[in-house]
Amino acid sequence: MLRVRNLEVVYDDVMLVLRGVSVTVPPGGVVALLGANGAGKTTLLRAITGLLDVHDGEVTKGAVTLDDEPVHHLRPAALVRRGICQVMEARRIFAELTVEENLRIGGHTSPSRIKPRLDDVFDLFPVLEQRRRRTAGYLSGGEQQMLAIGRALMAEPRYLLLDEPSLGLAPRLVEQVREIIMAINKRGTGILLVEQNATMALSIAGHGYVLETGRVVLDKPAAQLLADDDIREFYLGLG
Ligand code: ATP
């Protein structure tokens, strides 16, 4: 179980951005984290993946625990070894390396595991196999997004964190991303999905949280969030 408990985060020693946030991702579950720009979603992901300090942020209260062990003090590489991986933004793939080289770099795992992981990623993304020797910089935007997800999967995560995977994608590609997330989850990986696209996120999530200025204001099964007209209108902007 991945748990964030009563987490408080401060940037630059003074700016309080998370004010006691609690979020739980059960093993193999899908959890949606929603909220307007600036609510603190990315900050929460940074706290889970050990990336706060590079942004001058700090956990001042609460904890992130994995199977009841505190992990928020660990470095990103140590978290990856424990099974917590974040999908990097697509523009952070290595443009001058091939698709396969990018994937191999993602495999923080023993050499004997690389081949089965590659096969698994190619199974999920046949287009990456077709382009395995192509320079990543020449892929389309959608393909680069798939490569970014594939790279995170090379480390065999137990929990995968995604920060707005549908951002800027055409509706057809959003649907594709949705199907990919469901396929990854079906293999047993727990997912924490940060999205502006509430409809997409809640259609695959079991549970949803809505953040507002650093606090959880809603914490409910996804189906309940979607079914409530007031919530749809006031919190999700779905009218
Ligand atoms: P978005 O969808 O715009 O990314 P978000 O919900 O992910 O929004 P955060 O990016 O976590 O929100 O930002 C929460 C608040 O923290 C914002 O007010 C933002 O300006 C501030 N913030 C984010 N990063 C830093 C930083 N490195 N230093 C100072 N303040 C920051």
Side-chain angles (χ1 to χ4, degrees), residues 10-12 15-18 34-46 52 54-57 163-164 194 196 211 214:
V10 167
Y11 284 114
D12 302 322
M15 208 177 122
L16 182 59
V17 167
L18 295 185
L34 309 168
N37 284 335
K41 306 180 297 296
T42 300
T43 300
L44 185 63
L45 293 190
R46 285 176 185 159
L52 271 181
V54 292
H55 297 276
D56 294 316
D163 196 355
E164 307 212 17
V194 167
Q196 293 284 342
L211 274 189

Side-chain angles (χ1 to χ4, degrees), residues 21-209:
V21 169
S22 297
V23 166
T24 299
V25 188
V30 181
V31 168
L33 185 62
L34 309 168
N37 284 335
K41 306 180 297 296
T42 300
T43 300
L44 185 63
L45 293 190
R46 285 176 185 159
I48 298 174
T49 53
L51 289 170
L52 271 181
D53 56 356
V54 292
H55 297 276
D56 294 316
E58 192 189 351
V59 171
T60 45
K61 234 191 236 168
V64 180
T65 59
L66 180 63
D67 303 333
D68 291 327
E69 247 183 79
V71 292
H72 55 274
H73 56 283
L74 295 179
R75 314 296 306 165
L79 287 158
V80 169
R81 281 195 296 275
R82 298 227 185 167
I84 299 177
C85 280
Q86 180 166 3
V87 175
M88 291 296 160
E89 287 165 57
R91 63 184 169 78
R92 288 182 56 186
I93 59 175
F94 296 103
E96 68 285 4
L97 299 184
T98 66
V99 166
E100 183 170 331
E101 285 163 344
N102 269 281
L103 290 174
R104 285 176 177 276
I105 286 170
H108 296 259
T109 178
S110 64
S112 65
R113 293 293 303 153
I114 295 262
K115 173 78 171 65
R117 294 311 301 151
L118 269 179
D119 289 346
D120 192 43
V121 170
F122 288 152
D123 192 35
L124 203 55
F125 302 106
V127 69
L128 294 184
E129 183 163 27
Q130 287 161 22
R131 313 227 189 294
R132 67 194 289 173
R133 312 226 179 280
R134 188 169 295 185
T135 307
Y138 291 108
L139 298 179
S140 71
E143 290 164 355
Q144 291 189 6
Q145 176 78 317
M146 291 182 207
L147 180 56
I149 298 174
R151 199 170 77 169
L153 291 178
M154 286 296 291
E156 278 185 292
R158 286 169 62 205
Y159 293 95
L160 188 68
L161 280 47
L162 293 120
D163 196 355
E164 307 212 17
S166 79
L167 190 70
L169 296 182
R172 186 177 54 82
L173 289 176
V174 173
E175 177 53 28
Q176 213 176 340
V177 165
R178 193 176 94 88
E179 284 167 16
I180 286 162
I181 295 170
M182 288 195 292
I184 293 169
N185 178 244
K186 232 175 154 182
R187 289 160 149 80
T189 305
I191 309 258
L192 180 58
L193 176 60
V194 167
E195 262 297 338
Q196 293 284 342
N197 187 334
T199 310
M200 187 275 257
L202 292 173
S203 73
I204 47 181
H207 202 90
Y209 294 84

